[in-house]
Amino acid sequence: QVQLVESGGGLVQAGASLRLSCVISGRIFRINAMHWYRQAPEKQRELVAGITTGDSTNYADSVKGRFTISRDNAKNTVYLQLNSLKPEDTAVYFCAVDMTAAGLGYRYWGQGTQVTVSS
């Protein structure tokens, strides 16, 4: 079993920063990529950022230049630095990890951490 635990969310004012962390534990196979998604009330879950084992990154247009994804392989942890936060960034943020085992791909999700940005 694989567990992902996010932390670092909170209530902040517009313009503030937060750093989200996601620790992966359990039976970890080959990790291919890690991602951060978010889901605002009454909206679909959307991809915020992703990072591969080769440290290639991708970002949603809405967060480019403000958010930074990074990873610490030794700690099996992925981070999301959120700067210049806006009220529209308010959402539950989820991390996800893609793994490969015996030729099959798996995706695991965390439970999410709430980020609320007040104007």
Side-chain angles (χ1 to χ4, degrees):
Q1 191 71 347
V2 177
Q3 295 85 38
L4 283 69
V5 178
E6 301 100 333
S7 62
L11 171 62
V12 296
Q13 290 188 331
S17 298
L18 286 172
R19 188 192 194 205
L20 307 184
S21 300
C22 174
V23 179
I24 305 164
S25 62
R27 197 173 183 183
I28 299 173
F29 298 104
R30 174 182 173 181
I31 294 177
N32 298 320
M34 299 177 181
H35 316 276
W36 284 97
Y37 284 76
R38 68 185 180 186
Q39 187 166 18
E42 300 181 356
K43 291 188 177 180
Q44 289 192 340
R45 190 172 297 189
E46 62 174 354
L47 177 66
V48 176
I51 185 167
T52 69
T53 52
D55 285 336
S56 294
T57 58
N58 61 284
Y59 297 92
D61 288 342
S62 58
V63 307
K64 282 181 181 177
R66 300 188 298 121
F67 292 6
T68 304
I69 188 171
S70 62
R71 60 191 290 172
D72 185 331
N73 293 332
K75 295 181 179 180
N76 289 322
T77 301
V78 59
Y79 304 97
L80 186 67
Q81 179 69 39
L82 293 70
N83 296 330
S84 302
L85 281 162
K86 304 175 181 179
E88 52 263 43
D89 294 318
T90 295
V92 178
Y93 284 70
F94 301 88
C95 68
V97 61
D98 295 333
M99 297 185 186
T100 301
L104 298 176
Y106 301 86
R107 171 167 285 192
Y108 298 93
W109 292 88
Q111 293 300 307
T113 184
Q114 176 71 47
V115 172
T116 303
V117 184
S118 63
S119 58

